[in-house]
Amino acid sequence: MNINGKFPRKLTEHEIDWILWMLPESKPGYRAYREMIKEMMVIGYGKFEPDNLILGQPDDKPNEETFFMPIVSLGQIETEKAKIQILIHKPYNNQIQIDIVNLLGDFIPGELREIKRWSYAYWNPGEKSPATGQPVLEVKIFSKTEHNLILVIAPFDKKIWLHEITTGINYIIPVTNFFNELLRQRKELLDRTAPLNTNFIFENINKFSDADINNAFVNYSKLFAKVDTSSYDEIKEKKGFIQFLKRKFRK
């Protein structure tokens, strides 16, 4: 599927099908993005053409700041000859960056025989990973006034996402910066002479308490906020929090 660089242009039939499917209509946060995208055109490329498409209004000029916006949906369209990864970023100044990449080649074939599709956007509390069907770890982010965020760690997938209950959006959390903060909570596990071993942390996530994970996320968010976490707090492990902190591995 080779698309020329003439802009603005409409999304292709495949592109609009994939993109709208990656944004579940049943969730209010994603439903709002669907309505935005239906009114947009492709106005240019992002940092890595032709994989990064920037959507906006026909007279807009692409803004590269869209590249740095949080990822609100990540999924794949798996076919016989291609594995197409799709990332949809949060809007910025009425523009949205969408990455469409064939993980098995330099371009997307014109004819596709689809096998399956999945997206982390479809995950809801209590469910297994949409990508692998494996259990995930859910940690409620603590606040005395808000009860809207669940951090989800999927050891088998090597992925982390933040579930926003009111909107249904699942923000993909970059692993490295969060894990650096998590290790600060458990300094005895930190080897300052070695590079960060993310696989080791995923494999040993049970060595960290829910308080460790909560506090790491609260501190991480002060620098790398994906959503507003100003109402969320660090906590100390004590008896009063036992029931609240009881982690749930969904099997």
Side-chain angles (χ1 to χ4, degrees), residues 90-147:
K90 189 175 181 179
Y92 178 82
N93 284 353
N94 296 316
Q95 296 184 18
I96 298 176
Q97 177 165 310
I98 299 177
D99 308 332
I100 302 178
V101 184
N102 181 9
L103 300 179
L104 301 181
D106 294 331
F107 65 94
I108 299 174
E111 295 185 7
L112 298 167
R113 188 183 297 273
E114 187 173 323
I115 299 172
K116 68 174 183 178
R117 56 176 64 182
W118 59 265
S119 172
Y120 289 114
Y122 283 85
W123 184 87
N124 291 300
E127 296 179 349
K128 297 178 181 179
S129 164
T132 62
Q134 295 297 314
V136 301
L137 172 64
E138 301 177 31
V139 177
K140 292 182 179 179
I141 304 303
F142 174 71
S143 170
K144 296 177 181 178
T145 59
E146 301 287 340
H147 305 283

Side-chain angles (χ1 to χ4, degrees), residues 8-166:
R9 69 166 176 84
K10 293 182 179 181
L11 290 164
T12 68
E13 185 177 337
H14 277 308
E15 289 170 344
I16 193 67
D17 170 51
W18 297 338
I19 290 168
L20 292 183
W21 188 85
M22 294 284 164
L23 300 167
E25 192 170 13
S26 60
K27 296 187 173 188
Y30 289 120
R31 191 160 59 243
Y33 294 157
R34 289 171 63 96
E35 297 309 311
M36 287 183 64
I37 289 171
K38 288 178 182 179
E39 303 299 323
M40 290 177 164
M41 299 183 72
V42 182
I43 59 173
Y45 293 127
K47 287 181 174 293
F48 304 104
E49 62 177 75
D51 297 332
N52 310 141
L53 302 179
I54 297 181
L55 277 58
Q57 298 305 311
D59 295 332
D60 290 347
K61 293 183 178 180
N63 190 325
E64 288 193 352
E65 291 300 315
T66 57
F67 179 80
F68 301 102
M69 296 305 293
I71 295 170
V72 298
S73 182
L74 186 160
Q76 289 183 10
I77 306 293
E78 299 183 13
T79 75
E80 288 184 345
K81 297 182 179 179
K83 184 179 289 186
I84 303 160
Q85 179 171 273
I86 299 174
L87 294 84
I88 301 176
H89 295 251
K90 189 175 181 179
Y92 178 82
N93 284 353
N94 296 316
Q95 296 184 18
I96 298 176
Q97 177 165 310
I98 299 177
D99 308 332
I100 302 178
V101 184
N102 181 9
L103 300 179
L104 301 181
D106 294 331
F107 65 94
I108 299 174
E111 295 185 7
L112 298 167
R113 188 183 297 273
E114 187 173 323
I115 299 172
K116 68 174 183 178
R117 56 176 64 182
W118 59 265
S119 172
Y120 289 114
Y122 283 85
W123 184 87
N124 291 300
E127 296 179 349
K128 297 178 181 179
S129 164
T132 62
Q134 295 297 314
V136 301
L137 172 64
E138 301 177 31
V139 177
K140 292 182 179 179
I141 304 303
F142 174 71
S143 170
K144 296 177 181 178
T145 59
E146 301 287 340
H147 305 283
N148 193 38
L149 300 179
I150 301 173
L151 192 69
V152 185
I153 300 177
F156 195 88
D157 304 45
K158 304 294 190 290
K159 284 286 188 294
I160 304 173
W161 61 90
L162 180 70
H163 177 73
E164 192 173 47
I165 296 172
T166 53

Side-chain angles (χ1 to χ4, degrees), residues 4 7 46 54-55 85 87 104 137 187 204 232 241 248:
N4 62 39
F7 304 109
I54 297 181
L55 277 58
Q85 179 171 273
L87 294 84
L104 301 181
L137 172 64
K187 294 183 173 61
N204 292 274
Y232 292 84
F241 288 105
K248 301 174 182 178

Side-chain angles (χ1 to χ4, degrees), residues 197-243:
N197 187 337
T198 58
N199 288 336
F200 171 83
I201 299 175
F202 276 118
E203 291 165 3
N204 292 274
I205 196 64
N206 281 325
K207 293 183 179 179
F208 299 91
S209 69
D210 283 18
D212 291 333
I213 294 171
N214 178 91
N215 296 348
F217 181 75
V218 169
N219 284 296
Y220 158 85
S221 296
K222 292 175 182 178
L223 294 176
F224 306 100
K226 303 300 175 185
V227 299
D228 181 9
T229 58
S230 58
S231 298
Y232 292 84
D233 308 299
E234 290 190 67
I235 54 180
K236 296 180 180 180
E237 291 183 280
K238 55 185 179 180
K239 288 184 178 180
F241 288 105
I242 295 260
Q243 292 302 316

